[in-house]
Amino acid sequence: MQAVSPTFSCDLKPMIQTNLTAKIARYSHVNRNRVSVRCSYKSESFSFPNGVGSSRADWQSSCAILASKVASAENSSSITGSLAGQVAAVNGHSNDSVNLSLVPSNTQNGKPGLIQPLTNTDLSPAPSHGSTLRVAYQGVPGAYSEAAAGKAYPKSEAIPCDQFDVAFQAVELWIADRAVLPVENSLGGSIHRNYDLLLRHRLHIVGEVQIPVHHCLLALPGVRPDCVRRVISHPQALAQTEGSLNKLTPKAAIEAFHDTAAAAEYIAANNLRDTAAVASARAAELYGLQILADGIQDDAGNVTRFLMLARDPIIPRTDRPFKTSIVFAAQEREGTSVLFKVLSAFAFRNISLTKIESRPHQNCPVRVVGDGGVGTAKQFEYTFYVDFEASMAEARAQNALSEVQEYTSFLRVLGSYPMDMSPWSTLPSEDA
């Protein structure tokens, strides 16, 4: 059953926007089954410019993306929505005006095109839920994050976002129901940006999923490896395939790109016959590229861990393995010595830790110690992220956190969630 929410009050701009249509036209040769944004409104009739339907059903079928010109890039961390004239602030910030416009889907030669990833200017609160779970991920269709979203929620509707913080805000503003975002890679280490965003936003971790990374070398049809003069991809993907690239394309220049799948899309959109991309096999299928070499990662044990985020936490259980993630800061003047006490609280109760990550304290990154007579020194202050193998439904986990709280000035449980126990293979999957 579809939920009914209050009527939205907004000023709709003309539907046809030349620059946005031109951007969307780049994807016209690919299917977009999993990347559309469906929005619904209260059942009253509406009148839209440019001949868009007068009923909710007509509007819904015509809607590709509901875009909102809500903030400049400098204020991207404080995007908010407006619902029936009431401003719902996110993280204590708000915007005075919300100007909505419809971005139509594009077709070329009778084929539907892919939709651009959500950006900071595309965020506006969706007034109601549909029956399909909507999952936000960072990147464009064909990214490894899309494969992770598909594994975490197989029957979901994937929503691409151009930045990590946009995916967080998409869930907070009800555009998406879940977000699936990477936090660490077995070779590249932690993704610090997402750890910082976990603390900045109020979403809850409700699960995890691990995806083997299977890299391919992609180029336009007919291009041979010896014709490649440039290879582009995400910096981590380039580092993970350095050995293979030296053998396959020894004369090619290596250039960093912001996303693996976006690199493949860029080659297809600009018809670059001297350029190849390191991306997934799905990206080759979506953007009409050929696979010059398959499985070019230097290390077969290349796995990325993703977190599943939601607005509400799940109820911890004890009938299956659970993991709990917390973040804390030391008490004033205690410094990093408190870390030993925290670890002891878990060790005493035989609780295994799977992750420890330190990040600079956002409110007080430097602490001054000493006195005027001897001199002063500056020490860095940190917040600590810890994952441990226990459910918050267990007494030992509750007692451990009760003790940890005595040593910390700040303690927050980010989530208690089922561990990903599914087997994985280094062979490519249908999604990757």
Side-chain angles (χ1 to χ4, degrees):
M1 179 184 300
Q2 189 175 29
V4 178
S5 63
T7 306
F8 227 61
S9 177
C10 54
D11 179 23
L12 294 172
K13 290 286 185 181
M15 186 178 73
I16 305 299
Q17 300 183 21
T18 306
N19 59 336
L20 291 174
T21 303
K23 292 171 66 179
I24 296 172
R26 296 185 303 177
Y27 301 108
S28 61
H29 60 287
V30 203
N31 185 277
R32 61 180 180 93
N33 290 335
R34 298 183 58 199
V35 292
S36 60
V37 179
R38 295 189 178 90
C39 307
S40 57
Y41 277 73
K42 196 173 178 181
S43 57
E44 291 87 357
S45 296
F46 294 88
S47 177
F48 293 104
N50 297 328
V52 179
S54 59
S55 68
R56 182 184 67 175
D58 293 335
W59 179 89
Q60 190 173 12
S61 63
S62 302
C63 178
I65 288 182
L66 189 60
S68 175
K69 313 303 181 185
V70 291
S72 63
E74 299 84 37
N75 297 322
S76 62
S77 62
S78 60
I79 304 296
T80 59
S82 172
L83 178 60
Q86 301 296 323
V87 177
V90 177
N91 297 326
H93 302 282
S94 63
N95 292 300
D96 296 331
S97 63
V98 178
N99 188 11
L100 303 178
S101 61
L102 288 176
V103 182
S105 60
N106 182 73
T107 59
Q108 183 175 356
N109 299 325
K111 297 181 179 179
L114 285 174
I115 296 174
Q116 287 281 48
L118 288 177
T119 66
N120 282 314
T121 58
D122 292 325
L123 294 174
S124 71
S128 64
H129 276 297
S131 59
T132 302
L133 197 68
R134 299 164 297 183
V135 181
Y137 68 93
Q138 187 274 332
V140 300
Y144 294 105
S145 292
E146 185 194 34
K151 179 180 179 181
Y153 302 101
K155 297 183 180 180
S156 64
E157 180 180 13
I159 301 178
C161 304
D162 72 334
Q163 299 177 38
F164 290 127
D165 59 338
V166 174
F168 274 86
Q169 295 169 28
V171 178
E172 290 178 326
L173 298 177
W174 294 73
I175 292 177
D177 305 296
R178 301 285 189 274
V180 176
L181 298 172
V183 288
E184 59 179 328
N185 177 265
S186 57
L187 300 180
S190 299
I191 300 175
H192 296 139
R193 174 62 174 165
N194 282 338
Y195 276 101
D196 295 340
L197 291 173
L198 282 171
L199 184 58
R200 181 180 305 173
H201 295 269
R202 284 290 176 178
L203 298 184
H204 301 271
I205 305 174
V206 297
E208 66 174 1
V209 61
Q210 297 181 5
I211 294 292
V213 178
H214 189 88
H215 290 306
C216 301
L217 185 64
L218 312 180
L220 290 172
V223 174
R224 302 190 311 272
D226 58 347
C227 297
V228 174
R229 295 293 176 263
R230 181 175 61 155
V231 177
I232 60 175
S233 189
H234 190 275
Q236 283 201 11
L238 294 174
Q240 294 164 9
T241 58
E242 181 179 5
S244 298
L245 292 179
N246 288 336
K247 297 177 182 179
L248 294 169
T249 57
K251 298 181 180 180
I254 307 299
E255 296 182 11
F257 213 78
H258 65 275
D259 184 79
T260 56
E265 180 273 331
Y266 177 76
I267 292 175
N270 294 277
N271 195 32
L272 303 177
R273 304 195 65 82
D274 64 342
T275 305
V278 176
S280 67
R282 175 169 167 77
E285 177 185 355
L286 287 175
Y287 302 111
L289 302 180
Q290 68 169 337
I291 299 177
L292 297 179
D294 193 6
I296 63 173
Q297 61 274 7
D298 296 333
D299 192 325
N302 187 0
V303 181
T304 300
R305 175 174 171 246
F306 294 80
L307 295 180
M308 301 149 61
L309 306 176
R311 289 180 292 273
D312 300 313
I314 62 174
I315 300 176
R317 296 160 55 179
T318 58
D319 59 344
R320 60 172 297 180
F322 258 63
K323 183 182 292 185
T324 300
S325 298
I326 63 172
V327 57
F328 62 88
Q331 289 181 350
E332 187 177 0
R333 301 185 184 279
E334 289 292 334
T336 55
S337 63
V338 76
L339 185 59
F340 171 78
K341 301 176 182 178
V342 170
L343 297 180
S344 299
F346 291 106
F348 178 75
R349 295 168 177 85
N350 198 29
I351 298 177
S352 298
L353 273 61
T354 61
K355 175 75 174 181
I356 302 177
E357 182 74 28
S358 63
R359 295 292 297 151
H361 198 298
Q362 295 182 2
N363 297 326
C364 183
V366 177
R367 176 169 57 95
V368 178
V369 296
D371 54 59
V374 180
T376 60
K378 295 181 177 62
Q379 295 182 358
F380 293 119
E381 289 291 305
Y382 296 96
T383 54
F384 297 93
Y385 295 82
V386 172
D387 294 346
F388 59 88
E389 294 181 348
S391 169
M392 283 305 298
E394 300 180 56
R396 59 174 185 155
Q398 299 171 15
N399 293 334
L401 291 192
S402 179
E403 181 178 344
V404 168
Q405 196 169 16
E406 299 176 3
Y407 312 133
T408 59
S409 61
F410 162 77
L411 173 64
R412 175 179 160 194
V413 177
L414 298 172
S416 189
Y417 49 93
M419 296 174 58
D420 182 9
M421 306 296 291
S422 61
W424 54 268
S425 170
T426 57
L427 296 176
S429 63
E430 292 182 0
D431 289 330

